[in-house]
Amino acid sequence: MALRCASSSGSSSPSQNVRDVMVITLEDVLMPREGSTVFKGIHYALSGCGMPYYVISSGSRADASKKLLSQDGLFEDFTADSRRLLAEKDPIASLTDIVERTPKSVKLHFINSDPKVLEKASQAFPGTNLYLASWSEASALPIDIENSDSSTLPYQKIGLAEFVELAKMGIIMAYGIDSHRQFALNELYRDPASASSSSS
């Protein structure tokens, strides 16, 4: 059966028809490590997303599943026995499991908040697209790397608006503003005070 987005029913083995699959870290990418609610913008990104995905967690499978299932139906397929949920391992070990079960025709997109993890992933899996989730405090780069030429890094630093594009369309727009990014920007950065005053 084909790997699906969370909003679709069914489970989970990738099929030859799937060309792009995301691997998303739960902690500090989907939600804060000590939190229980997804970051603002995640729900829109993954609701009816265009790209199927796995979720990986360093915590227990039961705890990870409980957090995911509590998000208003967004991750309804991610039960404790779901093959799309990998837990109780470090990120590289989980990514290794996914690579081993994935057809070579599939392009993996790995999103994590730790530059060191992404560095290791770039060495272990050179064919995988890597992204640093910049919306988490855990994603802060050392000053020397932050000030260096980003083109030399083995991963791309993205914000939530770019993550929306990746999930919805499978591509991050290099130039311009597409409708998905504009919606994400409106939702992520609108001023609540101005919104309330305009409606009064």
Side-chain angles (χ1 to χ4, degrees), residues 53-148:
Y53 58 90
Y54 291 96
V55 173
I56 66 174
S57 171
S58 58
S60 73
R61 177 177 286 272
D63 286 346
S65 176
K66 182 178 179 180
K67 286 183 176 182
L68 292 170
L69 292 175
S70 68
Q71 306 304 311
D72 297 325
L74 179 62
F75 303 101
E76 61 184 9
D77 294 343
F78 285 84
T79 56
D81 61 350
S82 172
R83 292 191 69 235
R84 294 172 60 193
L85 174 61
L86 288 84
E88 302 174 8
K89 297 181 179 180
D90 69 77
I92 299 301
S94 292
L95 189 57
T96 299
D97 286 352
I98 292 170
V99 169
E100 289 177 349
R101 72 170 72 164
T102 302
K104 292 183 178 180
S105 59
V106 171
K107 168 65 72 174
L108 291 175
H109 301 260
F110 179 44
I111 304 98
N112 191 272
S113 63
D114 188 339
K116 293 181 179 179
V117 169
L118 293 171
E119 290 278 358
K120 291 180 180 178
S122 71
Q123 297 170 15
F125 311 107
T128 299
N129 287 355
L130 306 172
Y131 308 90
L132 179 69
S134 66
W135 53 90
S136 167
E137 292 182 1
S139 66
L141 291 168
I143 296 298
D144 59 332
I145 297 180
E146 184 69 58
N147 294 333
S148 66

Side-chain angles (χ1 to χ4, degrees), residues 15-53:
S15 78
Q16 293 288 350
N17 295 324
V18 176
R19 288 294 176 262
D20 293 90
V21 174
M22 291 189 296
V23 180
I24 313 172
T25 309
L26 173 61
E27 296 85 6
D28 295 320
V29 176
L30 291 179
M31 63 181 66
R33 183 169 297 274
E34 303 302 327
S36 58
T37 304
V38 294
F39 286 106
K40 189 175 183 180
I42 294 294
H43 201 287
Y44 172 68
L46 298 182
S47 295
C49 69
M51 192 187 299
Y53 58 90

